[in-house]
Amino acid sequence: MRPKQALRQLLVVAALLVLGCALGAEQREAPISPRWTSRSIPEARGEVKEIDGKRVQIRYREEPFSTFTVNYEQWPSYVYTDTRTFPRPNRVPMPGVKGNPRQGRELFMSRTKGPCTGCHLIPGDDIWPAGSVGPDLSVIGDRRLPDQYLFDFIWDARVVLTNPTMTPWGTVGILSPEEVVHIVAFLQTLKGNPAFVPPPEKDPTRNPHTRPRIPPYYGDNLDAATNPAVVFVEGALAAWSSRGSAGKACADCHADGPEKAMKGVAAKYPRYFSAYGRVMSVGDFLTVHAPETTGRAMLAESADNLQMTMLIKMQSNGMPVNVDITSPEAKAAYERGRALYFKRVGQRNHACADCHETDRGGGRYAGARLLSVARDGLTKHFPLWFMAYRGVWDIRKRFQVCMLPLGMNYLPADAPEYADLELYLTAFDNGKPVSVPGIR
């Protein structure tokens, strides 16, 4: 064997050993859950089918899901077996076209592209609401940054920064090179008078940096006159005592009613079930437990499932969340959930952490919406009544709707990946009181 070949092979082996050790440790810490056949209503499964010669994801028919018509199956997802990778950082030559600032401003505000104003403030009474996830660009022209630098940053910020939150707009095909040139031309016009001083603000609420933060208040979330979800729980009370096709009801095995039989149970969910080899939320468990014991189907995201989940979780109201993250199986699931939380997915190459960590978007505005901080706890009030869409949502449906703006097809509502992610997030609520159903 030639010396160069031997050296090359030794380097390859050494690299494999280093990577193998790291990967082996990761696999021992967080083994992948087994495959799972979804037990959810059809529109909650996220299946991709060919209809009229076009591949589409079958989604919920109501808003906001109905506003997303693109099939994002080509982009990396949270599926554990997904081996697709996101395109590497890509630098392209800046076209020699002359930039049009007016056209650049239109592109900056285009909702079919971004809009960039969802994260950045620029001058203009028509910019409402502006976001603050990204820096204020009101006077970026005063910085005299080279056009090429701005072009590279917009095209694919990864060629400039190590771990940017910003979407690589050009690499993923959302913006063309010529469109980026127009945006650069527009940004270079943003100057203060005097320099570096933004124009006076006419409306403090337009500016995310001066916008008053008023905590949302919807009244007592357990008052039926305030929260419609409380009324819907009555459907579960009827189901609790009604027998399914197997001739049994919940009440036959759980004596003294849900108030006593289910007291404190939900505070320990999600939890690992060895019988199914995965972590399950209350809703996940109902999809298998109800038909096995009563013969009654309780598909994930069905009214029966949501109502029974709320009924069970309400019996833990006021009690501290106490999910297990220390047993070997729970710790592995927690680590898998943590990995998903920080994993970049979809056409926009974003992670949950980009919106919910304080060193990124957490605590800042995405448009008019103040992004919650994960470490403050996000799960203890789910399922809840979602005011904007006038319906009961559990956290899985919230996960699903988050996926679409990221440019990723959502997973089935009862997917093991979502269960692991929910466990990771619920751990931040440990010690905090359950309060179901919430209002948001």
Side-chain angles (χ1 to χ4, degrees):
M1 185 180 292
R2 294 178 181 178
K4 287 186 177 180
Q5 289 177 326
L7 177 60
R8 189 179 299 115
Q9 289 192 10
L10 283 172
L11 289 173
V12 170
V13 171
L16 288 173
L17 285 172
V18 171
L19 290 173
C21 289
L23 290 173
E26 184 176 295
Q27 289 171 352
R28 287 194 298 274
E29 190 174 357
I32 293 175
S33 293
R35 293 182 64 86
W36 178 260
T37 300
S38 178
R39 296 160 172 83
S40 63
I41 60 176
E43 55 265 42
R45 295 173 192 163
E47 294 176 332
V48 175
K49 296 184 178 181
E50 186 168 314
I51 300 177
D52 297 330
K54 183 179 180 181
R55 289 180 62 80
V56 299
Q57 184 180 41
I58 307 302
R59 297 172 181 152
Y60 300 94
R61 297 180 181 87
E62 72 266 22
E63 292 185 347
F65 295 91
S66 60
T67 62
F68 294 90
T69 59
V70 178
N71 173 23
Y72 297 112
E73 67 176 330
Q74 73 181 90
W75 299 101
S77 72
Y78 283 140
V79 176
Y80 285 136
T81 55
D82 192 343
T83 59
R84 292 169 296 182
T85 57
F86 195 79
R88 295 180 62 81
N90 177 26
R91 178 181 271 118
V92 300
M94 187 174 176
V97 300
K98 181 176 177 58
N100 183 328
R102 183 174 180 177
Q103 190 172 347
R105 190 176 192 274
E106 292 175 355
L107 288 165
F108 196 91
M109 296 174 59
S110 172
R111 293 189 178 277
T112 61
K113 303 291 184 180
C116 303
T117 53
C119 290
H120 301 283
L121 176 66
I122 60 173
D125 294 341
D126 55 340
I127 307 300
W128 202 102
S132 57
V133 173
D136 184 342
L137 301 181
S138 297
V139 291
I140 190 173
D142 285 327
R143 296 182 62 186
R144 300 181 181 178
L145 296 170
D147 287 352
Q148 182 68 58
Y149 175 84
L150 290 174
F151 179 89
D152 289 342
F153 207 104
I154 298 168
W155 181 264
D156 193 333
R158 296 175 299 166
V159 304
V160 180
L161 300 176
T162 303
N163 190 31
T165 298
M166 187 162 160
T167 295
W169 300 103
T171 298
V172 300
I174 294 177
L175 290 173
S176 69
E178 291 75 17
E179 288 175 325
V180 177
V181 169
H182 295 317
I183 294 175
V184 169
F186 163 64
L187 293 177
Q188 294 290 31
T189 68
L190 300 181
K191 299 180 180 181
N193 186 18
F196 298 102
V197 178
E201 189 59 73
K202 298 177 182 178
D203 181 5
T205 61
R206 185 195 79 90
N207 187 330
H209 305 289
T210 59
R211 188 177 299 151
R213 294 192 177 185
I214 304 173
Y217 178 71
Y218 303 109
D220 181 0
N221 64 297
L222 300 181
D223 182 352
T226 300
N227 188 351
V230 176
V231 179
F232 290 165
V233 175
E234 294 177 1
L237 285 171
W240 181 269
S241 301
S242 64
R243 288 182 168 82
S245 60
K248 296 187 69 175
C250 302
D252 293 333
C253 294
H254 303 288
D256 301 322
E259 296 84 359
K260 291 186 178 180
M262 295 290 111
K263 185 176 181 179
V265 170
K268 298 180 180 180
Y269 278 77
R271 57 183 288 251
Y272 180 80
F273 281 86
S274 58
Y276 305 106
R278 56 162 293 184
V279 166
M280 288 182 162
S281 66
V282 171
D284 294 333
F285 185 63
L286 288 174
T287 66
V288 294
H289 183 67
E292 285 173 356
T293 56
T294 69
R296 183 188 183 105
M298 282 198 181
L299 300 177
E301 300 306 323
S302 67
D304 277 351
N305 189 299
L306 290 172
Q307 290 169 5
M308 188 62 73
T309 296
M310 283 192 291
L311 177 65
I312 293 171
K313 297 192 83 169
M314 286 176 73
Q315 312 317 313
S316 296
N317 275 348
M319 302 179 69
V321 175
N322 185 27
V323 294
D324 171 32
I325 56 172
T326 59
S327 67
E329 298 84 2
K331 183 178 180 181
Y334 174 90
E335 291 300 332
R336 290 195 299 269
R338 183 181 185 279
L340 292 177
Y341 177 77
F342 285 98
K343 181 182 179 181
R344 294 185 180 277
V345 294
Q347 183 184 27
R348 301 202 175 212
N349 198 36
H350 280 162
C352 302
D354 290 330
C355 285
H356 300 292
E357 288 295 299
T358 53
D359 63 342
R360 306 185 194 185
R364 296 179 173 87
Y365 283 98
R369 185 163 63 91
L370 185 63
L371 297 173
S372 304
V373 176
R375 294 174 191 279
D376 291 343
L378 304 176
T379 67
K380 60 184 179 296
H381 51 286
F382 278 95
L384 52 70
W385 178 260
F386 208 152
M387 296 285 287
Y389 302 109
R390 301 180 299 281
V392 176
W393 283 35
D394 62 2
I395 198 165
R396 300 301 180 78
K397 196 169 186 178
R398 192 70 185 88
F399 288 165
Q400 289 178 315
V401 81
C402 279
M403 299 301 101
L404 295 174
L406 303 188
M408 186 194 106
N409 282 354
Y410 60 72
L411 278 55
D414 56 339
E417 292 86 349
Y418 282 157
D420 293 342
L421 177 59
E422 183 179 347
L423 177 66
Y424 174 72
L425 293 175
T426 303
F428 291 123
D429 273 320
N430 266 347
K432 298 170 185 174
V434 177
S435 184
V436 173
I439 315 175
R440 175 171 290 181

